[in-house]
Amino acid sequence: MPLSPFEHDRRYGELDQVMRAYLGQPADDTPEQAGQALTAYLRHTWHSRPWALAVAERQLREYADNPPGRLRLRLGEFYAIPDVGLPQGEIQSWLRCLADHIRASIETGEVPAPAPPVTHWEWHARFPELGQFLGGWFSQDMPDEFDDHHAAVEDYRHSTDPQLVARLVGELQELLALELDESDYALAVAELGMEVDPPAPYSPSGWLALLTGQLAAPAGDED
């Protein structure tokens, strides 16, 4: 039978986070240099959950040293490494390479410099509530569900706990503080799940600024 959620998290939870960081990214790490996906994982995890790095190092190494045997494969009681584009025979050495890089980062205290997100995983890890908002309220179905962008924002505001709304405002302010080029803001909202254009005549950053003000306005002043 498949692993229970508790057993999955206990044995593979942080390993799974590292693997998710490779979604859409090449497994191009070498013993000399971590690839873009692992660098993004290190950058965000050092900032948000530094204690999890040691857990990731241990789980990666344990999986590499003890891959699931025939019994666990037959019972389904194992974590399946997603396809990262490597031959099956290279997976164990690649996992050890990742563990070595994480351990070296912990032992030396070398942390990737602050930077805007560069991978799909990092965008969602850094801006989780914004991802929920844009993916949930601004999918391609938005024009069929709401009269306009303003109505969609108000639906979110009135159906969401005020603490989460406040968290979204903070994430919007953080995103705007990155001072990206307009094309990079367009990429950011697309990575975070937005499937429609901002309302005319706003650019992506202009709409994000408008949105921040709309959500931060006291109740009753939003219209």
Side-chain angles (χ1 to χ4, degrees):
M1 60 181 297
L3 290 167
S4 68
F6 175 82
E7 191 66 13
H8 172 277
D9 288 350
R10 186 183 72 82
R11 293 165 61 182
Y12 308 116
E14 200 58 30
L15 163 64
D16 185 52
Q17 284 298 308
V18 178
M19 294 299 99
R20 289 175 184 271
Y22 282 84
L23 178 65
Q25 297 293 317
D28 56 357
D29 313 87
T30 67
E32 294 73 31
Q33 185 172 0
Q36 180 169 268
L38 185 61
T39 300
Y41 170 81
L42 287 168
R43 176 169 47 239
H44 180 73
T45 307
W46 264 115
H47 174 74
S48 61
R49 302 179 303 125
W51 53 267
L53 293 167
V55 179
E57 189 273 343
R58 174 179 58 79
Q59 292 184 354
L60 283 161
R61 205 173 296 282
E62 287 180 351
Y63 193 100
D65 292 343
N66 300 284
R70 292 181 180 178
L71 177 60
R72 285 166 60 193
L73 288 171
R74 182 160 56 84
L75 295 175
E77 296 178 351
F78 70 101
Y79 174 80
I81 297 292
D83 184 4
V84 293
L86 293 176
Q88 191 63 34
E90 297 179 14
I91 293 294
Q92 287 174 264
S93 61
W94 174 66
L95 293 176
R96 292 190 184 99
C97 177
L98 301 187
D100 289 343
H101 281 301
I102 294 174
R103 181 165 188 152
S105 181
I106 295 170
E107 291 181 338
T108 63
E110 292 187 9
V111 182
V118 295
T119 69
H120 181 79
W121 176 88
E122 192 178 11
W123 278 112
H124 283 267
R126 186 163 174 179
F127 300 103
E129 189 59 29
L130 184 53
Q132 289 287 330
F133 169 70
L134 292 177
W137 275 262
F138 290 93
S139 70
Q140 60 185 352
D141 297 326
M142 187 276 283
D144 298 324
E145 297 176 356
F146 302 103
D147 291 338
D148 53 24
H149 290 65
H150 182 90
V153 175
E154 289 307 308
D155 182 78
Y156 167 84
R157 181 214 283 266
H158 292 298
S159 62
T160 304
D161 188 284
Q163 296 180 64
L164 295 179
V165 176
R167 184 176 300 169
L168 174 58
V169 170
E171 290 183 11
L172 286 164
Q173 292 171 337
E174 181 180 351
L175 179 55
L176 289 168
L178 295 178
E179 297 184 342
L180 304 175
D181 292 337
E182 208 57 58
S183 60
D184 290 327
Y185 275 115
L187 173 64
V189 296
E191 286 281 7
L192 289 166
M194 189 170 182
E195 297 178 339
V196 296
D197 292 329
Y202 294 100
S203 65
S205 67
W207 180 66
L208 291 172
L210 178 72
L211 175 60
T212 304
Q214 184 179 349
L215 290 169
D221 294 348
E222 63 270 17
D223 297 323

